[in-house]
Amino acid sequence: MQGSYGATLERLGSLEANIGLLIAENDALRAEAKKEDENLLNLMHELRMRLCDLYHSCSDASWRWFEDCFTYSNGIMPLALFHSLEIMPDESVQQVAKESTRFLEEVTLADGFCRPIGCESFYSKGEERSVFDQQPVDVYAKVLLFLQAWKVTGKERFYKSALLCNSWFYGKNELHLPLYDPETGGCCDGLTATGVNQNQGAESTLACLIARLAIEEAMTKHDGAGGTSAPKDEKELPKYPRQNEFAPPKPRHWQHSEKIVSVANL
């Protein structure tokens, strides 16, 4: 490792910093002038090997994850690996990305709707999971993960899982209550044991709108490629509603989300 990239790697202490840099590197390497940047490629390899090493040290037959606890934005870790696979294909890395993503499906989509990990006490290995409070930012991360997994692997199941997660914002959730507000264009801050947290914070609204934009782009590509609304392998998947049940209501103030297009592409 040479120059500033090596120094950057040495300074990274947190898992979140590693993940953020790995995703950012994917975007940097997409630029024409950076596609063959050896330092960037070496740094990407080192960062994703750190993630894979974490996975192998924590996972076993019943717990296929990078840490001993699910917390916030759980989809970001396998998402970073799937992003790196677009630049540097690798069978062993893809295996980790697929195994962890399918485990996240099992944990949060097993009941036919999205049930994100609650942030009251999260979900530690061998302990009871927390159901509430459920956060929009966690659901948004899963939407992006499943869409990227679909893009890299071509597996229809991941596309369907992304649609199912997105429907959480519009009422297909634990309490059958919508978090998205078409009157304001905003999104409520989460699901609690007693109902919807009515505050509409910036983080929640951005999470909802970016997820929506990503889904609409994916649906256009999926339909244009001749995709079907039904899963190819019904035995592998939860029972999904049909395609029209995933469509969120058109907001009265759609200009709110149009302003987020540039953010979604960062």
Side-chain angles (χ1 to χ4, degrees), residues 145-163:
L145 163 62
F146 291 129
L147 288 180
Q148 185 66 18
W150 168 60
K151 181 179 181 181
V152 171
T153 68
K155 296 288 187 181
E156 182 83 356
R157 62 172 296 125
F158 293 135
Y159 173 76
K160 287 294 176 180
S161 291
L163 293 178

Side-chain angles (χ1 to χ4, degrees), residues 70-72 116-123 128-135 191-194:
F70 280 104
T71 57
Y72 285 108
I117 304 299
C119 66
E120 286 181 351
S121 58
F122 297 117
Y123 178 28
E128 187 174 348
R129 64 176 287 171
S130 180
V131 177
F132 298 106
D133 295 348
Q134 299 177 12
Q135 302 292 314
L191 285 181
T192 74
T194 58

